[in-house]
Amino acid sequence: MNRDASYRPPDLHGRVALVAGATRGTGRGIALALGEAGATVYCTGRSSRSARKVRRAKKSSPFDLSRRPETVEETAEMVTARGGRGIAVVVDHLEAKQVEKLIARIRREHKSLHILVNDIWGGDQYVEFGKTIWQVDLEKGFAMFRSAVHTHIITSHFALPLLIETAKEKGTGLVLEITDGDSYTYRGNLFYDLVKTTVIRLAFAQARELRRKTVAAVALTPGFLRSEAMLDHLGVKEANWQDAVKKDPDYIHSETPLFAGRAVAALAADPNISKKSGRIFSSWGLSDEYGFCDADGRRPHWGRHFTSKYGDTMNSCDEGFYKYWFGGPIDTIYANWP
């Protein structure tokens, strides 16, 4: 991995962003990166200081989100400390009325929305890797789909009208769909596979419907993530994360959530972002393109590491893949819709 400690964030002063699912992990990293670029960031999630649960020692999984210590208020404060303006709003994005109220608040307070990040996940507790479709717990699978797909659709449904209005007057808007993996290859579990590929498809479908609205929609995947939960799972902190390499050698190529966040900031500042609309990108690939680094000055490259270890098997979506996304009956018969 290369080192580059000279990172300077793009200038996003005056931009208003909504990071849905900003409490921890990639969502928090994105909120912080937008903050250090000067944006106003609405940070939403369900975990609030007012409803914190005590974590049971030795019994609570680090992936039990109901008992994790992170809160949306903490994220908002971190955004502000980095030079932006963080605004914490407790929202359950499965509840349409709550999301509608959130967007009404953003409209009232800022009259604009430039960036929407759909990062709601909450599915770790439902994943059953190693189980086939005839072995999985159906209710867990459907709950995962509600948590990580329905929430994205609900949020875009209410947020896009304001994003479109803003873009019409102030330049290109941006929708980010956060997923896992930049290919359409199988992901180890039926429901997990459906969720993560559906999120990519959401970016494409929104891009298609937004194509005449000056709003781009793209999907983004981080690499091997040094999230708060994963650090706890491996028994380390960010300060000594490399100790975890003894347990998992691949972790030397991991990245902090801020790395994906800086990818989002770079995309938001790109005047030619419309050319990327409807496609999936990786944090490491965008680092190659835009030159940003991680919090420690490194530029981790999960794709390069994976290829060196397992061969050229990533099968990332490329132009050969995308050509099958365009054209077809609807684009032919209803070429001018919407």
Side-chain angles (χ1 to χ4, degrees):
M1 290 174 286
N2 301 318
R3 288 186 175 274
D4 181 3
S6 60
Y7 175 73
R8 288 183 176 82
D11 185 1
L12 297 179
H13 287 84
R15 305 277 190 99
V16 179
L18 165 58
V19 181
T23 308
R24 58 184 67 83
T26 304
R28 172 173 283 188
I30 292 171
L32 299 189
L34 292 173
E36 68 184 8
T40 294
V41 186
Y42 283 82
C43 308
T44 68
R46 294 176 299 178
S47 299
S48 171
R49 285 178 181 147
S50 63
R52 227 173 190 175
K53 294 183 179 180
V54 178
R55 191 170 175 182
R56 300 189 190 98
K58 298 182 180 180
K59 291 184 179 180
S60 179
S61 163
F63 299 103
D64 179 359
L65 302 185
S66 68
R67 297 187 181 278
R68 288 209 57 81
E70 301 86 19
T71 65
V72 288
E73 293 91 347
E74 183 182 50
T75 299
E77 290 165 2
M78 294 168 75
V79 169
T80 301
R82 283 180 172 265
R85 182 189 176 196
I87 302 171
V89 188
V90 179
V91 177
D92 183 344
H93 284 263
L94 267 176
E95 298 296 328
K97 291 295 183 182
Q98 292 185 31
V99 179
E100 185 177 24
K101 184 177 179 180
L102 165 67
I103 302 305
R105 174 179 171 178
I106 297 173
R107 182 185 290 276
R108 183 175 65 253
E109 293 177 350
H110 286 92
K111 299 181 176 60
S112 61
L113 180 63
H114 304 83
I115 304 162
L116 167 63
V117 180
N118 279 322
D119 183 55
I120 307 109
W121 163 230
D124 285 321
Q125 59 189 315
Y126 305 124
V127 179
E128 296 181 295
F129 288 121
K131 289 188 177 182
T132 59
I133 186 173
W134 56 91
Q135 297 171 325
V136 296
D137 182 318
L138 291 176
E139 289 309 311
K140 284 184 177 181
F142 295 142
M144 187 199 306
F145 214 85
R146 287 192 294 272
S147 177
V149 175
H150 291 194
T151 52
H152 291 216
I153 295 171
I154 291 168
T155 306
S156 284
H157 174 79
F158 289 106
L160 282 178
L162 181 55
L163 204 67
I164 292 168
E165 291 173 25
T166 304
K168 186 176 181 179
E169 296 184 2
K170 302 179 180 179
T172 306
L174 179 61
V175 179
L176 268 298
E177 292 287 344
I178 309 303
T179 187
D180 179 23
D182 63 349
S183 74
Y184 254 53
T185 56
Y186 178 63
R187 284 163 167 74
N189 170 269
L190 174 77
F191 283 108
Y192 189 80
D193 181 74
L194 286 175
V195 165
K196 296 306 181 181
T197 54
T198 298
V199 170
I200 297 174
R201 187 69 190 185
L202 275 174
F204 167 73
Q206 289 177 91
R208 172 61 175 75
E209 297 184 0
L210 289 165
R211 60 184 177 155
R212 294 188 176 92
K213 302 297 185 182
T214 326
V215 177
V218 303
L220 174 70
T221 180
F224 198 168
L225 201 63
R226 292 206 300 278
S227 65
E228 301 88 349
M230 183 57 72
L231 289 170
D232 285 352
H233 175 68
L234 293 172
V236 294
K237 303 294 185 183
E238 179 58 31
N240 69 323
W241 69 269
Q242 293 192 24
D243 291 348
V245 176
K246 300 172 186 175
K247 297 180 180 179
D248 189 338
D250 290 333
Y251 214 51
I252 194 62
H253 300 278
S254 64
E255 62 191 59
T256 74
L258 186 67
F259 194 56
R262 287 177 171 174
V264 171
L267 289 168
D270 189 341
N272 297 312
I273 185 60
S274 60
K275 294 180 180 179
K276 287 181 164 61
S277 194
R279 287 160 169 74
I280 167 75
F281 298 91
S282 65
S283 56
W284 60 90
L286 291 175
S287 176
D288 286 344
E289 179 178 352
Y290 294 110
F292 59 83
C293 62
D294 207 340
D296 57 4
R298 294 173 174 245
R299 293 176 61 188
H301 201 293
W302 180 249
R304 187 178 299 126
H305 164 65
F306 191 92
T307 299
S308 67
K309 185 173 181 178
Y310 297 104
D312 190 12
T313 58
M314 292 285 283
N315 292 332
S316 301
C317 295
D318 57 16
E319 290 306 312
F321 174 85
Y322 292 127
K323 73 177 183 179
Y324 293 102
W325 284 32
F326 302 98
I330 296 299
D331 278 357
T332 301
I333 300 171
Y334 303 103
N336 296 318
W337 183 88

